Amino acid sequence: DVPTGLVPIAELGRACGVLTPVTNTLIDLAGAIFGMNFWQMGRTLEKLGMVGWTPEQISRFAMEGDVIDLV
């Protein structure tokens, strides 16, 4: 759940200007416990193909699944 759930939540929050301190701490804590860099191996905006998307584009995609004219 950390690389596939928490990392994208934190990444999308960052892209939209939403602070996610608890989520970030959970990712860091899990990484320390398991000796893994979940930030690196997780579903980042780059891996999701969403680098450079605006908050409006992210919201539209989340609500409608519409990627036409988003990028």
Side-chain angles (χ1 to χ4, degrees):
D1 286 346
V2 176
T4 60
L6 294 180
V7 170
I9 288 170
E11 289 271 300
L12 290 167
R14 181 178 51 81
C16 292
V18 176
L19 298 176
T20 57
V22 175
T23 302
N24 295 356
T25 299
L26 289 171
I27 295 166
D28 292 339
L29 182 59
I33 290 169
F34 293 104
M36 304 177 89
N37 185 341
F38 289 114
W39 290 105
Q40 185 178 29
M41 66 183 287
R43 291 184 182 165
T44 62
L45 291 180
E46 183 177 5
K47 291 177 183 174
L48 294 170
M50 298 174 79
V51 171
W53 285 24
T54 66
E56 292 79 19
Q57 290 170 319
I58 292 169
S59 178
R60 179 175 168 193
F61 181 72
M63 298 298 287
E64 301 174 20
D66 188 359
V67 295
I68 299 172
D69 298 324
L70 288 180
V71 291

